[in-house]
Amino acid sequence: MNFDQAFAIFDELCDRAVPLDSRALNTLTLACALDRDTRRASERLATVTACMRSWRLHPQTGFFVGLLKGYHRSGQFEMFDALVARLRTGDTHSHLELDKIVMLNAASRGDATLALAMADLVAQDPASIPAVVQTLCKMGRADYAMALVSLDKLPDNNITANIRLELAISDAKVAINPSELPKATLAMIDRGFTPSFRLARNVVSAIWTLGGHGMAIRAYKQLLAAGVPKSTNMMLLGLKLHAHSSEPEAMIGIFDELRKQLAATDFHTLRVPTRAISALVMTLIEKRDVDAAQQAFDFLLTLPIPKTDLPFTPLLRYYINHRMPDRLSTLLSRLVQHDIPLDAAGIDCCCNYFAASVEATDFANFLRYLDRSQTLDRVSDSLFTLFFTTSAAEYRVVDFEWALDALIKLNRPKATWRAIVDQLGKNDPRILSTMVHAAVRL
């Protein structure tokens, strides 16, 4: 969901006095509740309700369920509880959609008693049985789901087939013999039914957990060969699987397909397996070239994923080892300008590069970036020692004092200081003297 674009369209329709239907309004209330910016969310919700009044529309159950879904997904449980209490006050009737979201929320918060009670109510609606079974299986109560739902009384259709598959994933027999799970899935496909995107991925994930890596890859290939749709999450799982396999080059083909799919889809947020995409970049460097890896990185940069999940380190290491300063500078600029945290391996690699190849000022600026991104504590004692030696030798007193103050704030143990002082004393006693005078001034 692209919330900003949705509200831009809503504002334009309001300006033209074009009323929206209840479904669109319910979606907007969901977007308001999901917004982490509470001030903006309140303003937008006030605008939506004002427009509803001008169109002589009154909030129905779906309007409040939209709010509850947003509070549930964003973890605003106090707001959730307050709204549920308000809706329940003076209303003794059961509302299906309200009961369903209360069931989901109770399950996610570990309130098994309330979740089971709501499941009993929601299961009375045949169309809601898939949601009930999914919730109970997530809670580890597949036994309760089997007792609650009479599968023999349900029609033999795709929905029922998916319910059976959901229960099979949680079946104790599958835990003992996980090879039965892909067989059950393939048998379902042979009967003309299609597992949902979520369940197809969950089947492979369950096999990976229960039967190991090799069995999961075989199941992944079997399901795709049988016609299971290549959903985004399924292909992301494929990347993750092959990153740990003896055939990491298979990730390249998966990523090529995934890139086309992602480029044609408007995601609001996206989570990617960080180790897998790091392995992908390294594989692209090895099997194709660094340009292909950089292109993949640039594409990932356009996606709505946390910048901390991006594979900076493999490219940084390659540019440093192959002496490509222009590309290294461009990549470092992205990190430094946005204070994106770097992992320990990347920090170590860059610190050694700055210590060996450039002036102490550049090294100091990199340490300042690490301090801003709250990763300075990942710098080793030996690299701090190297920095002090370099900055003192170049008479960079300001940089020396800043790093000394930063190291003091890190509260490193006495052994760290002893090791640094010993090393500085061995290199040049004058450096040790500089350090002592700086410490006195601090």
Side-chain angles (χ1 to χ4, degrees):
M1 296 174 68
N2 190 323
F3 299 145
D4 291 334
Q5 187 175 352
F7 276 101
I9 295 171
F10 170 69
D11 291 338
E12 185 176 347
L13 291 172
C14 287
D15 292 340
R16 297 182 181 183
V18 179
L20 277 70
D21 61 20
S22 59
R23 185 175 179 181
L25 291 168
N26 296 345
T27 302
L28 289 171
T29 60
L30 168 63
C32 290
L34 282 172
D35 196 339
R36 293 289 185 180
D37 186 336
T38 54
R39 180 178 178 181
R40 180 175 61 191
S42 298
E43 291 173 352
R44 284 178 168 176
L45 185 59
T47 302
V48 171
T49 53
C51 287
M52 289 177 66
R53 284 194 296 271
S54 69
W55 298 330
R56 296 183 179 180
L57 296 175
H58 300 284
Q60 303 297 319
T61 303
F63 178 89
F64 296 112
V65 168
L67 279 176
L68 288 173
K69 285 181 179 178
Y71 294 146
H72 166 66
R73 293 182 192 176
S74 60
Q76 301 181 64
F77 295 143
E78 288 185 6
M79 298 288 285
F80 184 95
D81 293 340
L83 182 54
V84 169
R86 180 181 172 187
L87 294 173
R88 296 291 198 201
T89 301
D91 189 351
T92 58
H93 298 288
S94 176
H95 295 281
L96 177 63
E97 289 302 315
L98 178 59
D99 291 340
K100 189 185 296 184
I101 190 61
V102 170
M103 174 189 71
L104 295 172
N105 184 259
S108 68
R109 295 164 70 176
D111 188 344
T113 302
L114 179 58
L116 294 178
M118 290 296 103
D120 289 340
L121 291 174
V122 176
Q124 295 175 19
D125 172 44
S128 300
I129 288 177
V132 172
V133 172
Q134 180 185 343
T135 301
L136 293 174
C137 287
K138 274 188 177 180
M139 294 171 59
R141 296 301 308 270
D143 57 333
Y144 194 92
M146 291 178 183
L148 182 63
V149 178
S150 300
L151 292 174
D152 295 338
K153 296 181 180 179
L154 297 178
D156 189 22
N157 56 22
N158 203 69
I159 294 174
T160 304
N162 274 273
I163 292 173
R164 292 182 187 276
L165 184 58
E166 183 96 59
L167 291 168
I169 294 173
S170 302
D171 194 340
K173 296 177 182 177
V174 169
I176 298 172
N177 187 8
S179 62
E180 292 299 315
L181 192 52
K183 291 179 183 177
T185 310
L186 292 172
M188 169 185 170
I189 295 171
D190 289 340
R191 294 180 59 218
F193 300 129
T194 304
S196 67
F197 289 172
R198 178 185 61 83
L199 283 179
R201 185 190 185 282
N202 286 358
V203 165
V204 179
S205 296
I207 293 169
W208 191 357
T209 301
L210 300 170
H213 186 258
M215 186 183 292
I217 288 184
R218 288 194 298 274
Y220 176 82
K221 292 178 179 178
Q222 286 175 337
L223 293 182
L224 292 185
V228 169
K230 295 180 179 179
S231 67
T232 297
N233 284 333
M234 189 68 160
M235 286 194 281
L236 287 172
L237 178 60
L239 284 179
K240 193 174 179 181
L241 278 168
H242 286 89
H244 297 270
S245 73
S246 58
E247 300 176 344
E249 61 274 10
M251 288 191 295
I252 297 176
I254 296 172
F255 181 73
D256 288 341
E257 289 189 70
L258 182 61
R259 176 156 47 184
K260 294 176 184 176
Q261 189 173 112
L262 291 175
T265 308
D266 186 13
F267 283 97
H268 180 60
T269 57
L270 183 67
R271 296 295 300 188
V272 296
T274 53
R275 291 185 181 180
I277 61 170
S278 182
L280 168 69
V281 168
M282 290 188 286
T283 303
L284 283 168
I285 291 173
E286 180 183 348
K287 300 297 181 181
R288 290 186 180 174
D289 53 42
V290 70
D291 289 335
Q294 182 65 59
Q295 288 171 8
F297 179 87
D298 290 340
F299 173 73
L300 291 168
L301 200 62
T302 66
L303 299 177
I305 61 178
K307 296 297 181 279
T308 51
D309 290 350
L310 291 170
F312 283 94
T313 296
L315 286 172
L316 288 171
R317 185 182 290 113
Y318 184 91
Y319 293 149
I320 288 172
N321 292 341
H322 291 79
R323 299 181 181 180
M324 302 173 74
D326 292 340
R327 289 195 174 190
L328 176 63
S329 176
T330 301
L331 199 58
L332 284 172
S333 295
R334 285 174 171 169
L335 280 166
V336 174
Q337 287 174 5
H338 302 286
D339 292 334
I340 301 170
L342 191 58
D343 61 28
I347 289 172
D348 192 65
C349 184
C350 289
C351 282
N352 279 299
Y353 165 76
F354 282 113
S357 307
V358 295
E359 296 179 354
T361 300
D362 294 326
F363 196 174
N365 288 337
F366 184 73
L367 291 180
R368 287 186 174 94
Y369 142 71
L370 295 180
D371 188 37
R372 291 195 306 273
S373 60
Q374 300 181 345
T375 51
L376 189 64
D377 58 327
R378 298 177 185 175
V379 178
S380 65
D381 296 346
S382 61
L383 286 172
F384 265 118
T385 303
L386 193 57
F387 171 77
F388 287 130
T389 303
T390 304
S391 58
E394 295 181 13
Y395 300 102
R396 305 296 306 181
V397 178
V398 173
D399 294 334
F400 189 102
E401 290 181 349
W402 175 86
L404 186 61
D405 183 44
L407 186 60
I408 291 171
K409 291 176 181 176
L410 290 177
N411 293 321
R412 292 281 173 97
K414 290 182 180 179
T416 297
W417 290 101
R418 190 177 298 112
I420 292 174
V421 169
D422 288 347
Q423 188 61 40
L424 290 175
K426 289 177 184 177
N427 290 336
D428 189 339
R430 290 175 298 176
I431 297 175
L432 182 58
S433 176
T434 302
M435 186 176 187
V436 171
H437 284 295
V440 169
R441 285 195 294 275
L442 292 172

